[in-house]
Amino acid sequence: MVGRPRSEEARRAILRAALGLCARDGYPNVTLKGIAEAAGVGRQTLYRWWQTKGEVLLEAVADLAGTELAPPPESGDPWRDLETFLGETFTLVDGVASRAVVGLMADAQSDPVFAARLQAELIEPRRRILRTVLERGALPAGVDPGLAVDVVFGVMWYRLLNRHAPVDTALADEICALLARIR
């Protein structure tokens, strides 16, 4: 027997509620019961589609970030392309998604299955796009694009986890300037 089809209206309400609760209360304080109540759906609806709050919030963040990921169109200026991609990425992470992605990363540390899913659905697609953008000419010959990706996203994660400085368009500009200096 196949289950009842997912209601897109209920799904969207659940994802909005999960992000709203995460922004208001912090990731550790979000519960499936709270999400269901905030979304105006029964807990059974939530449990039919997701088993954990991490699964709900991963889908919510991926949905927020957009499922059809592609590098920005080539402008002919690899630095402008890099600034565009980093600016959009950091603006997204600077908002409600920041609390969620930090919580998701924390959950992934003790759950290898969830870690693989987080990697596949959220982290690796963005790494591929950044690498593509960097390979358009923003790196000098001999610089490993994979290491450059690690450096860029390493700065982002360090700031998200330590909360000592913002992850925003100013950071995107600073990283672009730093990478330009190694040319």
Side-chain angles (χ1 to χ4, degrees), residues 72-86:
E74 283 193 62
S75 68
D77 179 350
W79 295 103
R80 186 173 346 147
D81 297 348
L82 181 60
E83 287 172 354
T84 298
F85 175 72
L86 292 181

Side-chain angles (χ1 to χ4, degrees), residues 58 61-62 65-66 69 85 89 93 100-109 114-131 149-150 153-154 156-157 160-161:
L58 175 57
V61 171
L69 293 172
F85 175 72
T89 299
V93 174
V101 296
V102 168
L104 294 170
M105 182 61 83
D107 282 356
Q109 302 312 298
F114 184 72
R117 188 167 168 204
L118 176 65
Q119 181 71 24
E121 294 178 25
L122 199 63
I123 295 171
E124 190 54 39
R126 281 146 191 84
R127 289 183 53 82
R128 275 193 307 273
I129 292 171
L130 177 55
R131 184 181 182 118
V149 169
D150 286 345
F153 282 136
M156 180 197 79
W157 280 106
L160 285 175
L161 292 170

